[in-house]
Amino acid sequence: MGSFRINISNTTSFTLTGFPELEGLEHWLAALSIVVYAISILGNILILFIIKEEQSLHQPMYYFLSLLSVNDLGVSFSTLPTVLAALCFNARETAFDACLAQMFFIHFFSWTESGILLAMSFDRYVAICNPLHYATVLTDARVAYMGLSIIIRSFCMVFPLPFLLKRLPFCKANILTHPYCLHPDLIRLPCGDTTINSMYGLFIVISAFGIDLVLILISYVFILCSVLAIASKAERLKTLSTCVSHICAVLIFYVPMVSVSLVHRFGKCAPDYVHKFMSLVYLFVPPVLNPIIYSIKTKEIRKKIHKML
């Protein structure tokens, strides 16, 4: 019995799943994934380049946007190796440790994005509700401290996940639902008791995503109260327009994220393609749409792109 335990614990690899429901369309899926990655990577690099080059954009709001772009690049590069390997080269095997490392980075960047969106909502709150103190509240040092705190928080939350998985015995067919490694997908596979893993996963989802989302909503309640106190309708619209990009970024991140969590926890009978589609939206849509939204809605970035073209 002891040797059996050793054998089932020493899993060496996982098998990634592509899209068997779309058999025959692999080449189109590969081409589409390459286009999506290209838009995401080039779009976020362009945002970073413009903010670096344009002196007028050296402000807290754009520092947070830079951090968001770096994070979105991290999300794209975390999934890119296995997705392209599975779709373009039909290479579906991934080493156990490599899978755990990919899972760590995917979830790390997800938690970091949530923290960045919260920091951006605080920036909008101070800019609209307390504009006279904006420069004194959001100094460069404080912005750097907030960014560092977000990164440390995300690291501390995600760091235990690989170790909690590694202690478990794996004896089922190690076939994953996606062409990348996610924690909710991995905890389906061990033979041992995964209660601690599930409880810890639920705890960090509530304590990070849940609290961040509530604080973002509270900040917008204060923003709306402040905007409604403005007498001129034109001024109200002008003030609210400065929040449109951030509101869109919040929606395209939290709506798919909440949907993925609900599907994994309560939609266990749902077909595999539902899980795959929701996870794809969650991981691929924000890095692609964020640079597009900010390029369209931010006048200074839009002007710089026109000038470059």
Side-chain angles (χ1 to χ4, degrees):
M1 185 69 180
S3 62
F4 177 68
R5 282 186 178 278
I6 291 169
N7 288 338
I8 62 175
S9 300
N10 293 339
T11 299
T12 57
S13 66
F14 291 99
T15 302
L16 303 168
T17 305
F19 299 91
E21 303 89 357
L22 301 173
E23 193 175 349
L25 299 174
E26 289 87 353
H27 297 301
W28 290 105
L29 285 171
L32 180 61
S33 65
I34 290 169
V35 169
V36 167
Y37 278 120
I39 293 171
S40 170
I41 292 167
L42 293 175
N44 284 294
I45 289 174
L46 181 63
I47 292 286
L48 290 169
F49 174 77
I50 290 171
I51 292 173
K52 178 182 176 293
E53 293 295 313
E54 195 65 35
Q55 197 68 31
S56 64
L57 299 180
H58 293 180
Q59 303 172 35
M61 180 173 123
Y62 299 106
Y63 294 148
F64 289 130
L65 178 56
S66 298
L67 194 55
L68 183 66
S69 292
V70 170
N71 192 78
D72 283 341
L73 285 171
V75 173
S76 295
F77 285 122
S78 296
T79 57
L80 185 146
T82 53
V83 170
L84 292 188
L87 294 180
C88 298
F89 306 106
N90 202 32
R92 303 193 184 279
E93 289 291 316
T94 182
F96 182 80
D97 288 334
C99 190
L100 293 183
Q102 184 184 48
M103 177 204 72
F104 171 85
F105 283 110
I106 288 174
H107 291 293
F108 168 76
F109 288 119
S110 295
W111 263 267
T112 304
E113 183 140 353
S114 178
I116 295 167
L117 292 173
L118 175 59
M120 293 173 89
S121 73
F122 178 70
D123 170 87
R124 292 298 83 210
Y125 163 74
V126 176
I128 292 170
C129 299
N130 203 356
L132 296 177
H133 294 91
Y134 182 78
T136 55
V137 172
L138 285 168
T139 60
D140 288 353
R142 197 160 286 163
V143 169
Y145 174 76
M146 289 169 70
L148 189 61
S149 300
I150 290 164
I151 292 167
I152 292 171
R153 183 193 75 160
S154 301
F155 179 84
C156 292
M157 285 187 164
V158 181
F159 184 71
L161 291 180
F163 298 100
L164 287 173
L165 276 168
K166 210 162 185 178
R167 70 187 175 85
L168 294 170
F170 286 79
C171 59
K172 299 177 185 176
N174 293 327
I175 300 173
L176 299 175
T177 311
H178 313 285
Y180 39 78
C181 302
L182 293 176
H183 183 256
D185 203 12
L186 285 167
I187 61 171
R188 298 184 301 105
L189 302 178
C191 305
D193 185 9
T194 59
T195 303
I196 293 174
N197 300 64
S198 297
M199 293 300 292
Y200 182 72
L202 184 61
F203 165 73
I204 58 177
V205 165
I206 293 170
S207 61
F209 290 142
I211 292 173
D212 288 355
L213 185 56
V214 168
L215 291 174
I216 289 170
L217 292 173
I218 289 171
S219 70
Y220 271 99
V221 169
F222 284 117
I223 288 170
L224 276 175
C225 292
S226 183
V227 168
L228 291 174
I230 300 171
S232 167
K233 185 179 178 182
E235 283 297 315
R236 285 184 203 167
L237 292 173
K238 185 180 176 183
T239 305
L240 278 176
S241 68
T242 63
C243 301
V244 170
S245 300
H246 179 254
I247 291 169
C248 291
V250 168
L251 290 175
I252 64 175
F253 175 75
Y254 278 105
V255 171
M257 184 273 295
V258 170
S259 302
V260 166
S261 298
L262 290 174
V263 166
H264 272 295
R265 295 200 175 273
F266 305 112
K268 299 190 186 297
C269 298
D272 281 347
Y273 64 81
V274 173
H275 293 263
K276 287 181 188 177
F277 176 74
M278 295 310 303
S279 293
L280 283 171
V281 171
Y282 166 54
L283 288 174
F284 285 78
V285 169
V288 171
L289 288 188
N290 281 337
I292 294 172
I293 290 167
Y294 277 95
S295 298
I296 293 170
K297 297 301 297 179
T298 308
K299 186 172 67 174
E300 293 84 356
I301 295 176
R302 195 168 64 243
K303 276 184 179 179
K304 186 69 175 176
I305 291 173
H306 286 165
K307 191 176 176 182
M308 289 169 65
L309 293 174

